[in-house]
Amino acid sequence: MTVERKPRKDAVRNRAAVFAAADTLFAQCGSPEEVTMADIAAAAGVGKATLFRAFGDRDGLIRALYEARLEPITEAVGQGPEPLGPGTPAARRVPALLDALLCFKLDNRHLALALEGSGADSPYRTEHYEHWHTLLRDLLRLVPGPADTDFAAHALLAATRADLVAYLAGEKDVPREELRAQLASFTTTVLDARAGRGPGPAAGESRPPVPRA
């Protein structure tokens, strides 16, 4: 039987220091492209070689940091209670998932921009995007409406893209709660259109609490 080895204490400390340093640098930067592996290593007090051994490259570090910060939401979606958990009716879970993603990207704007701009030649081919698209597509299949839910899932996710969120919240200075209300209204419109209903209740009337990263 193979026994899984626990990470060394110094490796755990280094990883925490790297994530904290990267968080700070991404939060303070003018553009995520400005943050380099050398910058993160220096801020964390570790050698650059340590970063490459642990994460492979800059894209690997960004993915690891993003997944770590998103973990509370990921756990809530995978095994948590309503409104994000798997026991939630699809028509209620879809708006909750999108609201959670929007709030996360508002709180981690430059990290989200860095992730969506890294790796594959298209942000739509990344593992992160494919995971959320598949989840939304499959949930939409449980909502009355047309059989093809692929495009609807893409359209809903497009409203939470990091570049759009950064533009609206940053350059256009749209308040957080207004963005949440607009997304809720758009999601309700899509779900009602699928079911052949008219406009739903006013956006923002009752939104679920969002797990904070």
Side-chain angles (χ1 to χ4, degrees):
M1 182 177 67
T2 303
V3 179
E4 185 176 346
R5 297 176 60 184
K6 293 183 178 180
R8 299 194 317 270
K9 289 183 178 180
D10 59 338
V12 173
R13 284 195 300 269
N14 284 345
R15 188 177 184 88
V18 167
F19 282 176
D23 272 334
T24 300
L25 289 171
F26 279 119
Q28 295 177 348
C29 70
S31 169
E33 288 77 16
E34 297 173 1
V35 181
T36 67
M37 290 287 266
D39 294 332
I40 296 171
V46 301
K48 192 161 71 168
T50 299
L51 294 192
F52 285 102
R53 282 196 301 270
F55 303 103
D57 56 19
R58 182 177 180 274
D59 291 347
L61 190 156
I62 290 170
R63 286 193 298 271
L65 175 59
Y66 191 92
E67 289 168 6
R69 298 301 177 246
L70 190 65
E71 188 173 357
I73 294 174
T74 303
E75 289 186 355
V77 171
Q79 55 192 13
E82 295 189 13
L84 293 178
T88 312
R92 183 168 178 238
R93 196 179 183 201
V94 168
L97 288 170
L98 291 165
D99 185 59
L101 280 175
L102 173 64
C103 289
F104 179 81
K105 290 182 181 182
L106 284 168
D107 293 335
N108 300 272
R109 199 172 308 169
H110 285 148
L111 174 59
L113 282 169
L115 176 82
E116 293 183 10
S118 70
D121 56 353
S122 166
Y124 304 106
R125 295 193 179 97
T126 62
E127 182 179 350
H128 164 79
Y129 183 87
E130 289 178 355
H131 167 76
W132 289 103
H133 176 264
T134 299
L135 177 59
L136 280 173
R137 182 199 64 200
D138 292 348
L139 283 173
L140 288 171
R141 287 174 178 167
L142 302 175
V143 178
D148 184 7
T149 61
D150 194 74
F151 178 79
H154 281 303
L156 289 169
L157 274 179
T160 70
R161 274 183 54 95
D163 51 0
L164 177 62
V165 171
Y167 171 71
L168 293 175
E171 293 186 40
K172 301 294 286 185
D173 201 26
V174 180
R176 178 190 187 93
E177 291 307 308
E178 185 176 337
L179 283 175
R180 294 182 70 194
Q182 289 172 345
L183 177 61
S185 177
F186 174 60
T187 306
T188 297
T189 299
V190 172
L191 293 176
D192 284 348
R194 283 186 53 76
R197 298 191 296 265
E205 283 186 352
S206 179
R207 286 190 299 275
V210 178
R212 301 304 294 266

